[in-house]
């Protein structure tokens, strides 16, 4: 649920520093010191583009310094949306995680003052080498996007986060981002490169390119101190900003902390902080403390711009912090002067900045809102437009209707501190597409998203199509703004709440669970339908593969009013053989069919997100047995493995680490969620004695992967385990059964090499490299060209019980319906259950 999400106000410019707001939708009016800082930024005509591979790769301290200290127009180009990472705040993975991380990046840029861009590259998971990365990414398409962003943004300097000369030493995506950046740096200036872009864009050559290095890239602080620093620029990025009372590092920490799904909360620091930039190509800076030195970043770079700086200097020198409105006449003259310039690029940028400053000074407040968050195509909803003038002068505001928006009033002449509410209606056209991320509208490949419209490539998200056009006339200056219509409500606890207005299908259809595992002859599958508008009577059915029997074939339903949710039961019988398929719900009303589901993503720190897709669920009959009747699941950083354990027939009791009961004896197994020891180290440490007793008395402890960062070998359960950064990223890598006679590979299900087919994204990660001698390594695996690692699954007897640690990516395989992963899971939670004893032989190992 949201706590501090407020309305978007289109009339208020995105504030470069953005340190006080809780969210970028929060309509904070800048104080007079902040307005003065924005005036100063009018005088800097320079642009920097920072390039890396993922959300959270960016150096927020350097981005904030560029934006707030140098006052440069600054952007971050993340090649991917982070779809292949882990999620510390919830169960969302893949495209849903990418949606979260896209919004987190926008929040981060709101904090540090940068702008955000992406390519079509899909984060398919960890890659060990650029060669592997570029086997999956379409190199030419990624480069095409990078060149288009450079030609559009026109950076004077490019900064790479990673070293393009050291493939194989870090994540393959990282090195690839730098290698492609070096190519794009040159290609953007060539008329022969991606010539189709040149019908709407000009070529562009950045002046220079850098690598944002540090001692880490040299292996140690000592090695860095000894290194030749001839080509290094040293920048003090620890500046204190009196205009907002924060240091640059504190702003950077606020920005970094927006990456909540990755657990990157950061404490602010104060004092000097050095950033190092290694010069790579282009003109060498004339001043090694200034990456823009030698580049004209003043108004004189624009033909006819020398007079602009003179006018701006006069405005700055006479600025009255107690009465900023006194600057309005001079700002109006400055606006006229900039409007006469021929340089369309800088003219557009600086006019926008200047117009936002004028709105900030006058305190004009414009807001368009609806009392509905969800609306269907063809529907109409009332809207309110608030127009408030908080200046001392009369201001004229003109509102324009369109084919979707009707208004009761179009001209408002406001007096000092007056407010007007204009009524109107919004009508969504018939067959209007539901709201969903634009880059997910077309089928994607493993490595690339499909975006056909060239003008949409690179954008984090598309602008809302529902906007009232407003013209604000101040000092004879016409300022044009689009007022995005937002959902507005009042919560008795949280107060005023604003969220995006979303279009939804008339009917939302969903299958209850993402995966169904069949051991018994049949299973009930529930299909829900939500009426997003008044519905006539119709039928609902469950579509399944031909060899899966569904009863009944369809169910008739009566008319439904908007907001009604109904759930229907279908009995599904699997084939006798092992099988895997997809089922989906289908609603028919008259000659219309509906099969889309609406997925809502709701977290405090980002605006609500909506994904509309075809509803479907996996049905899997792996012919497995599961002996574990009851399982205690200790929640970690967010996964859906507990649901998978329920799917194989166990009754699962979920606990937060601080809520685990003192007596665990009634559970056949205790399973620890992913990264629980990372995100709740104190609580997990407090459970050590309890878990120790439980296992000694015959229980089974199964622990899933944790990262190696700051994990003590004695922290992971009763026996010592030392984690590494070893992983196997090839989901098809060969798996060796090191102990084929071990119980965990035989009871109650026989595990063979076939069970490691059809895995997704990876085999596993952060495998142990050392462990107590009581552990037996079960599986061996490796990526091509690497030595085999044996730590992906280790099992030990401890007292009368068992301890299991696995770095296998079950949290990815189980939601994907991978049969072998379910069989292995069943064996792990069943290993200590003796209700169906299997005769041991002399070779069986425990």
């Amino acid at each position: 649920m949201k706590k501090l999400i407020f309305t978007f106000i289109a009339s208020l410019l995105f504030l470069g520093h953005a340190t006080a707001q809780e969210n970028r939708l929060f309509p904070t009016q800048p104080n007079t010191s902040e307005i003065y800082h924005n005036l100063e930024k009018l005088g800097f005509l320079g642009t920097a583009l920072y390039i890396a591979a993922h959300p959270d790769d960016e150096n927020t301290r350097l981005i904030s310094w560029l934006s707030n200290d140098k006052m440069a127009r600054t952007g971050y180009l993340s090649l991917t949306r982070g779809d292949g990472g882990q999620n510390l705040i919830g169960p969302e993975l893949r495209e849903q995680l990418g949606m979260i991380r896209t919004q987190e990046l926008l929040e981060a840029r709101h904090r540090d003052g940068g702008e955000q861009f992406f390519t079509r590259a899909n984060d398919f998971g960890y890659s060990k080498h650029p060669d592997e990365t570029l086997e999956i990414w379409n190199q030419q398409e990624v480069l095409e996007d990078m060149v288009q962003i450079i030609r559009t943004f026109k950076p004077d300097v490019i900064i790479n986060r990673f070293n393009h000369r050291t493939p194989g030493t870090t994540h393959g995506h990282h090195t690839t981002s730098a290698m492609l950046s070096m190519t794009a740096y040159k290609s953007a200036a060539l008329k022969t490169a991606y010539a189709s872009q040149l019908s709407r864009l000009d070529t562009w050559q950045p002046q220079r390119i850098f690598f944002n290095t540090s001692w880490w890239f040299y292996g140690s602080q000592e090695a860095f101190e000894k290194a030749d620093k001839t080509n290094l620029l040293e920048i003090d990025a620890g500046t204190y900003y009196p205009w907002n009372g924060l240091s640059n590092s504190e702003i950077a920490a606020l920005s970094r902390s927006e990456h909540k799904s990755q657990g990157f909360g950061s404490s602010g620091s104060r004092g000097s902080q050095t950033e190092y930039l290694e010069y790579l190509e282009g003109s060498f800076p004339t001043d090694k403390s200034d990456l823009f030195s030698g580049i004209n970043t003043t108004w004189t770079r624009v033909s006819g711009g020398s007079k602009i700086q003179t006018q701006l200097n006069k405005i700055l020198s006479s600025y009255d912090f107690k009465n900023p409105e006194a600057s309005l006449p001079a700002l109006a003259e400055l606006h006229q002067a900039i409007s006469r310039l021929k340089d369309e690029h800088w003219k557009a940028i600086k006019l926008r900045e200047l117009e936002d400053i004028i709105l900030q000074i006058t305190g004009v407040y414009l807001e368009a809102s609806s009392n509905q968050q969800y609306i269907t195509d063809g529907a109409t909803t009332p809207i309110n437009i608030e127009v408030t003038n908080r200046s001392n002068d009369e201001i004229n505001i003109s509102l324009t209707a369109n084919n979707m928006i009707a208004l009761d009033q179009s001209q408002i002449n406001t007096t000092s501190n007056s407010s007007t509410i204009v009524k109107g209606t919004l009508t969504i056209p018939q067959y209007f597409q539901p709201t969903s991320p634009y880059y997910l509208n077309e089928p994607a490949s493993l490595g690339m998203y499909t975006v056909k419209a060239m003008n949409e490539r690179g954008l984090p998200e598309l602008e809302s199509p529902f906007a009232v056009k407003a013209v604000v006339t101040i000092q004879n200056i016409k300022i044009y703004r689009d007022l995005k219509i937002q959902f507005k409500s009042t919560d008795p606890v949280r107060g005023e709440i604003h969220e995006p207005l979303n279009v939804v299908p008339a009917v939302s259809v969903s299958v209850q669970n993402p995966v169904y595992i069949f051991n018994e002859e049949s299973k009930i599958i529930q299909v829900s339908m939500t009426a997003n508008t008044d519905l006539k009577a119709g039928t609902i059915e469950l579509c399944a593969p031909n060899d899966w029997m569904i009863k009944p074939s369809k169910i008739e339903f009566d008319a439904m009013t908007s907001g009604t949710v109904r759930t229907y039961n279908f009995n599904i019988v699997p084939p006798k053989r092992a099988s895997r398929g997809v089922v989906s719900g289908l609603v028919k009303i008259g000659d219309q069919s509906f099969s889309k589901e609406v997925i809502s993503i709701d977290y405090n720190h980002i605006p609500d997100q909506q994904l509309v897709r075809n509803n479907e669920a996996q049905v899997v009959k792996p012919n497995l047995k599961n002996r574990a009747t009851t399982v205690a699941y200790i929640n970690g950083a967010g996964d859906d493995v507990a649901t998978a354990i329920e799917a194989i027939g166990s009754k699962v009791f979920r606990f937060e680490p601080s809520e685990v009961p003192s007596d665990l004896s009634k559970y056949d197994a205790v399973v620890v969620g992913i990264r629980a020891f990372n995100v709740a180290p104190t609580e997990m440490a407090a459970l050590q004695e309890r878990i120790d007793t439980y296992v000694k008395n015959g229980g089974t402890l199964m622990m899933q992967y944790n990262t190696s960062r700051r994990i003590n070998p004695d922290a992971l359960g009763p026996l010592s385990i030392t984690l590494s950064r070893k992983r196997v990223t090839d989901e098809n890598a060969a798996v060796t059964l090191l102990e084929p006679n071990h119980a965990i590979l035989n009871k109650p299900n026989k595990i063979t090499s076939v069970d490691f087919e059809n895995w997704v994204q990876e085999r596993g990660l952060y495998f142990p490299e050392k462990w107590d001698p009581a552990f037996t390594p079960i599986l061996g695996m490796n990526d091509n060209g690497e030595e085999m690692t044996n730590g992906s699954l280790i099992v030990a007897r401890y007292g009368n019980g068992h301890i299991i640690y696995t770095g296998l990516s079950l949290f990815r395989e189980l939601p994907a319906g991978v049969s072998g992963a379910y069989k292995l899971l069943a064996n792990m939670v069943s290993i200590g259950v003796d209700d169906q004893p299997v005769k041991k032989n002399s070779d069986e190992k425990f």
Side-chain angles (χ1 to χ4, degrees), residues 50-54 56-58 76 159-166 170-171 173-179 182 210-213 216-217 280:
Y50 199 92
I51 297 178
H54 309 108
D56 72 48
D57 281 346
E58 83 277 28
Y76 173 46
I159 304 169
N160 292 338
R161 183 68 183 102
F162 299 104
N163 193 344
H164 67 286
R165 299 157 296 194
T166 54
T170 182
H171 195 323
H173 297 182
H174 292 170
T175 310
T176 302
S177 71
M179 293 167 60
M182 296 298 294
F210 298 95
F211 161 41
N212 182 197
T213 189
W216 186 87
F217 290 97
L280 297 177

Side-chain angles (χ1 to χ4, degrees), residues 531-546:
N532 296 317
T533 188
D534 292 344
L535 299 177
K536 296 178 181 180
T539 62
I540 183 170
E541 58 188 276
L542 181 65
C543 304
N546 292 333

Side-chain angles (χ1 to χ4, degrees), residues 724-743:
S724 72
R725 297 184 64 84
K726 294 178 181 178
R727 61 175 78 202
V728 175
T729 62
D730 182 359
E731 63 270 32
N732 298 311
V735 176
T736 300
L737 306 183
L738 300 174
E739 297 289 339
N741 294 318
H742 195 285

Side-chain angles (χ1 to χ4, degrees), residues 330-375:
L331 290 172
E333 293 180 5
L334 182 63
H335 188 280
Q336 293 175 358
I338 296 176
S339 298
R340 290 192 291 266
L341 295 175
K342 295 181 179 181
D343 187 311
E344 295 297 330
H345 176 71
W346 282 111
K347 179 170 71 173
I349 292 169
K350 293 304 177 180
L351 279 178
R352 177 74 190 202
E353 291 178 6
L354 176 55
E355 289 168 359
D356 286 330
I357 290 170
I358 292 171
L359 292 171
Q360 293 164 8
I361 286 175
T362 56
V364 170
Y365 184 101
L366 301 176
E367 170 191 286
S369 64
S370 166
N371 61 4
Q372 288 184 244
Q373 185 171 10
Y374 304 103
I375 187 170

Side-chain angles (χ1 to χ4, degrees), residues 737-781:
L737 306 183
L738 300 174
E739 297 289 339
N741 294 318
H742 195 285
I744 207 164
L745 296 180
N746 293 276
K747 298 193 306 184
N749 306 289
K750 180 69 174 178
I751 303 297
T752 69
S753 59
V754 175
D755 294 303
F756 295 94
E757 295 177 359
N758 301 313
W759 282 48
V760 298
Q761 186 161 325
E762 62 196 356
R763 289 294 189 198
L765 64 171
Y766 292 99
F767 295 156
E769 60 182 355
K770 297 179 182 177
W771 44 81
D772 188 282
F775 280 108
T776 298
I778 303 298
L779 304 174
M781 57 187 67

Side-chain angles (χ1 to χ4, degrees), residues 503-693:
V503 177
V504 293
V507 184
S508 175
V509 190
S510 61
V511 181
Q512 184 183 30
N513 296 324
V515 180
Y516 292 86
I517 303 300
F518 287 78
N519 295 325
E520 60 274 15
E521 292 184 357
S522 66
K523 192 181 288 285
I524 296 296
I525 292 183
Q526 292 187 327
V527 182
S528 296
M529 57 178 291
T530 301
N532 296 317
T533 188
D534 292 344
L535 299 177
K536 296 178 181 180
T539 62
I540 183 170
E541 58 188 276
L542 181 65
C543 304
N546 292 333
D547 53 352
W548 293 68
M549 293 179 55
I550 306 292
K551 294 182 180 180
S553 59
K554 64 180 177 180
I555 300 173
E556 295 182 352
F557 61 83
D558 298 329
M560 300 169 62
T561 58
S562 180
T564 302
V565 179
R566 291 180 183 171
T567 300
Y568 300 91
N569 293 337
F570 292 88
N571 188 64
I572 182 166
V573 180
K576 293 183 179 180
R577 61 179 178 81
S579 181
R580 177 181 177 184
V582 174
V583 297
S584 60
L586 177 65
V587 171
K588 295 181 179 179
I589 302 174
D591 59 356
Q592 289 186 294
S593 297
F594 303 91
S595 60
K596 300 289 187 181
E597 69 174 327
V598 177
I599 297 173
S600 297
I601 299 175
D602 179 3
Y603 287 104
N604 295 355
H605 62 299
I606 59 174
D608 283 354
Q609 298 298 296
Q610 176 176 287
L611 173 63
V612 179
R613 67 179 186 185
N614 290 327
N615 83 90
E616 62 179 35
Q618 300 271 352
V619 286
V620 183
K621 187 183 179 184
N623 285 338
L624 65 75
K625 297 177 182 179
N626 172 29
R627 295 180 185 172
T629 304
T630 57
V631 173
Y633 198 90
I634 302 175
N635 294 330
D639 60 69
D640 216 18
V641 174
T643 301
I645 299 174
E646 289 177 331
I648 60 175
S650 301
K651 187 173 183 179
V652 178
F653 299 83
R654 294 171 171 85
F655 302 102
E656 294 300 323
S658 60
E659 299 171 348
V660 175
S662 57
D663 181 12
L664 295 170
S665 61
K666 67 179 181 180
Y667 303 109
D668 294 324
V670 173
V671 179
V672 182
I674 64 172
R675 297 181 71 170
F677 294 92
N678 294 128
V679 298
T682 303
E683 293 85 349
M684 292 304 298
L687 294 175
Q688 282 278 39
E689 184 176 348
R690 200 175 315 170
I691 290 175
D692 186 280
T693 300

